[in-house]
Every structure is written in C-alpha cells, then in structure tokens.
C-alpha cells in the first residue's frame, strides 16, 4: 500500500502530461490556428477556439502563442497580446520539439504540453501550450491515495481479525497452552515413560 501510494503521484503526473501534450498536438493542427497565428495581433478568433476546447477537455489553460511567444489566447483575456512566461518555450520554438514540462506561469506551477505550430513549409510559426495546475493534480493524487489508504486499512483490519480468530481456534485446540508449556509436558511425559520398567495399561 505504501509503495503504491508513492507511485500514484508519478503515474498521474505522467498521464496528465500526456493528455496535455495530446490536446496541444490537436490544437496545433487546426487550420484556423495556422492562419491566425501569423497575424501581427490577436483578433479574438483563437481566444474563442481555445476557450471552447479548454472547457471541453478540462484543461486549466490553453495558450496559443506566435513565433515571438505573444499570446493569442489565454483564460484571462486581459493577458492577450502579452509575452508568455515560464521560460520553457525554447525547445518548441527553436528546435520544433513537442514535450511535457513543469514550470510556473501567471496561473501558478503547472504541468504543460508544448507543441510547435508549423506552416506549410514546415517552419515553426507559433506554439501551443496546454496546462494543468500542479495544485489540482495534487488534489487528485490525494484523493487516489485516500482511496488506497482506506482499502489498505480495511485489509489490515480483516487480516488482524483473521489472525486473532485463527489464533483463538488453535489455542482452544491445544487447551490454551503456550508452546513452551507443550514442550515441557512432552518432556515430562517422555521422562515418565522412560522411567517405567514394566509397562503401562491405558483405559479409555
């Protein structure tokens, strides 16, 4: 139980990271995203699209940024047109890599899926960042750990009850004697039998 609860956090974070990456890949392939991201300023179309997808997927944020990391979408509209923060965009924008990272943005520490946006010439023209707040992930982890803890507790109680029950039945079968008492009786019986030279008659 202890090992399992320790693994839950790592497993869930890995699953959430993969989910964020998959959503990012999907958003990055939408034609409207490729069309709008090359414009000099956000027009609001990507904001509406991102918010719709965010609500459907349960993500904390979907940020679509251009080649200069300028936001074209964000859960808080007042942050549109501003620089993306976190410092983890370089692999996507400079090397065209898709990856999962953990960084602190304007909404707090989060697990993010980062995917570059490519044009028809396979050049990087922007980035999609989908994230889930670490605090929300930890709440989910604690809920799962609580379930495991309850299960382990129930199993321990069943185990204790079973052990006590078996122990009591066994002690009744040996007349409540302890192992050292049984050994002493066996030793005394052996001594008595060895000291008798004629014989023993046992009745009933």
């Amino acid at each position: 139980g202890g090992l399992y609860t320790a693994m839950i956090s790592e497993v869930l974070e890995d699953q959430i990271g993969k989910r964020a990456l998959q959503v990012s890949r999907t958003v990055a392939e939408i034609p409207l995203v490729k069309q709008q991201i090359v414009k000099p300023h956000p027009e609001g179309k990507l904001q509406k699209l991102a918010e719709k997808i965010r609500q459907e997927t349960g993500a904390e944020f979907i940020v679509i940024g251009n080649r200069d990391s300028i936001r074209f979408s964000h859960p808080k509209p007042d942050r549109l047109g501003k620089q993306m923060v976190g410092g983890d965009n370089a692999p996507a924008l400079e090397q065209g890599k898709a990856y999962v990272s953990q960084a602190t943005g304007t909404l707090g520490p989060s697990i993010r899926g980062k995917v570059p946006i490519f044009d028809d010439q396979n050049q990087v023209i922007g980035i999609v960042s989908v994230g889930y707040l670490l605090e929300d992930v930890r709440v989910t982890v604690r809920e799962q750990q609580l379930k495991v803890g309850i299960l382990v507790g129930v199993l321990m109680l069943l185990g204790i009850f079973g052990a006590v029950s078996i122990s009591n039945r066994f002690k009744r079968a040996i007349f409540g004697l302890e192992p050292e008492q049984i050994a002493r009786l066996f030793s005394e019986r052996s001594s008595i039998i060895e000291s008798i030279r004629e014989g023993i008659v046992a009745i009933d």
Side-chain angles (χ1 to χ4, degrees):
L3 289 173
Y4 183 70
T5 53
M7 291 169 57
I8 285 178
S9 177
E10 182 178 350
V11 170
L12 283 178
E13 286 186 13
D14 180 65
Q15 290 180 345
I16 289 173
K18 289 179 179 178
R19 185 192 308 169
L21 193 62
Q22 185 57 46
V23 175
S24 294
R25 290 184 193 277
T26 302
V27 174
E29 291 299 323
I30 297 175
L32 178 64
V33 173
K34 296 183 178 184
Q35 294 169 6
Q36 293 290 315
I37 201 63
V38 294
K39 296 186 177 181
H41 304 288
E43 295 181 355
K45 293 182 180 180
L46 293 186
Q47 172 71 357
K48 292 179 181 178
L49 174 67
E51 282 302 288
K52 181 180 178 181
I53 297 174
R54 184 182 69 83
Q55 292 170 6
E56 291 177 351
T57 59
E60 189 67 33
F61 62 82
I62 296 180
V63 177
I64 304 173
N66 66 8
R67 191 70 179 78
D68 298 319
S69 293
I70 301 301
R71 301 188 189 102
F72 277 51
S73 72
H74 194 279
K76 297 186 177 181
D78 61 325
R79 296 178 185 176
L80 295 177
K82 297 180 181 179
Q83 194 82 17
M84 296 172 68
V85 299
D88 55 346
N89 286 347
L93 292 174
E94 297 174 9
Q95 304 171 34
K97 291 183 177 180
Y99 53 95
V100 177
S101 71
Q102 289 191 22
T104 301
T106 57
L107 298 177
S110 58
I111 298 175
R112 308 147 168 238
K114 301 269 185 176
V115 174
I117 303 170
F118 295 98
D119 61 12
D120 295 336
Q121 287 73 44
N122 206 35
Q123 298 296 314
V124 177
I125 56 176
I127 184 173
V128 177
S129 178
V130 176
Y132 296 84
L133 291 183
L134 278 176
E135 183 56 36
D136 295 338
V137 175
R138 289 179 183 132
V139 169
T140 303
V141 169
R142 285 194 290 268
E143 289 174 352
Q144 296 300 319
Q145 289 178 334
L146 179 60
K147 292 178 182 178
V148 174
I150 292 173
L151 176 61
V152 170
V154 170
L155 291 176
M156 287 182 66
L157 289 175
L158 289 174
I160 292 171
F161 175 78
V164 171
S165 178
I166 293 172
S167 176
N168 289 337
R169 290 182 62 184
F170 184 73
K171 290 194 73 172
R172 284 197 299 270
I174 58 174
F175 306 104
L177 297 174
E178 295 296 332
E180 56 273 14
Q181 292 174 311
I182 295 174
R184 187 165 59 250
L185 288 174
F186 179 79
S187 178
E188 291 172 355
R189 176 180 174 279
S190 297
S191 298
I192 291 172
I193 291 176
E194 289 173 1
S195 66
I196 296 175
R197 300 190 178 279
E198 298 300 327
I200 296 176
V201 177
I203 299 174
D204 285 345

